[in-house]
Amino acid sequence: MPPPETMYCSQQIIIPKGLPNILKNFTKAAIRTQPKDLLVWSAAYFDALSKGETLPVKERLELNVNDKNKDATLTPGLLKTLHKQLSAAETCSREQLREKWKSLCLPKEQLENMLILGNFDTDITWMQFFAVGCSALGDTFKTSLKVACEILTEDEEGAAARIPFDIFAMLCTYLAHLDPEIQQENIDSFLTSLEPQVEKQQGMIKPVDFIYREDAL
């Protein structure tokens, strides 16, 4: 006779402590991040979780960010996630960047084009790559800087999006040097013209201070 089927009851099944909370957080993270490849992203998520590293997770769901391109591509939310993962150190290696990029299911071709644009070596200055990422998200030089402010700000969403002027000036100068049509004197004049407003704001700058100006940049 075949052995009787094993019978289970709720008292026999032990749910590991913490599992429900882990699965709930994972589900929320997947919904917010909307990874193109759930398996690849899930492996990266639990690997980071086990190591106590910053998770490859967006802070909030981004709606309609890929209407022009149905394939996965860099978004402000994903660039902010990369910034949280890689900005702790001044530099990162190409391998580190490629690993984090892949974990967010972003296209390899886009990363390689950005590395070429910034002429990056083996060791990458993170804030310079971040600036290139902002340029990939902005239609113009100033909208790229606006994206940077919105990602880096500690203001609440929808507020002024202020950031320290020294960080703004560094990003502005770096991006300008990538554009052969922008002259150094134009950069200097642009930054100097912002200083009175920055002084009133205790060393901070916000997009409205520069986005509507009719400068030569």
Side-chain angles (χ1 to χ4, degrees), residues 58 62 65-66 72-82 106 110 133 137 147 151:
K58 292 182 186 178
E62 293 179 287
V65 291
N66 290 330
T73 187
L74 187 65
T75 68
L78 292 174
L79 182 56
K80 186 169 187 175
T81 299
L82 286 169
L106 290 168
Q110 186 178 27
L137 297 171
V147 169
I151 292 175

Side-chain angles (χ1 to χ4, degrees), residues 25 28-36 41 45 54-66 72-82 84-85 104 106:
N25 291 337
K28 289 181 177 180
I31 292 172
R32 290 201 307 273
T33 306
Q34 297 285 302
K36 182 180 180 182
W41 177 83
Y45 177 93
T54 302
L55 300 175
V57 177
K58 292 182 186 178
E59 290 185 355
R60 58 187 59 85
L61 177 65
E62 293 179 287
L63 299 175
N64 303 320
V65 291
N66 290 330
T73 187
L74 187 65
T75 68
L78 292 174
L79 182 56
K80 186 169 187 175
T81 299
L82 286 169
K84 288 165 60 179
Q85 291 178 308
L104 293 171
L106 290 168

Side-chain angles (χ1 to χ4, degrees), residues 72-110:
T73 187
L74 187 65
T75 68
L78 292 174
L79 182 56
K80 186 169 187 175
T81 299
L82 286 169
H83 182 69
K84 288 165 60 179
Q85 291 178 308
L86 296 169
S87 63
E90 184 178 341
T91 63
C92 66
S93 68
R94 281 189 175 226
E95 290 71 23
Q96 287 176 305
L97 177 55
R98 285 183 174 129
E99 177 187 348
K100 300 302 183 186
W101 188 271
K102 181 180 178 181
S103 73
L104 293 171
C105 308
L106 290 168
K108 179 180 178 181
E109 295 77 11
Q110 186 178 27

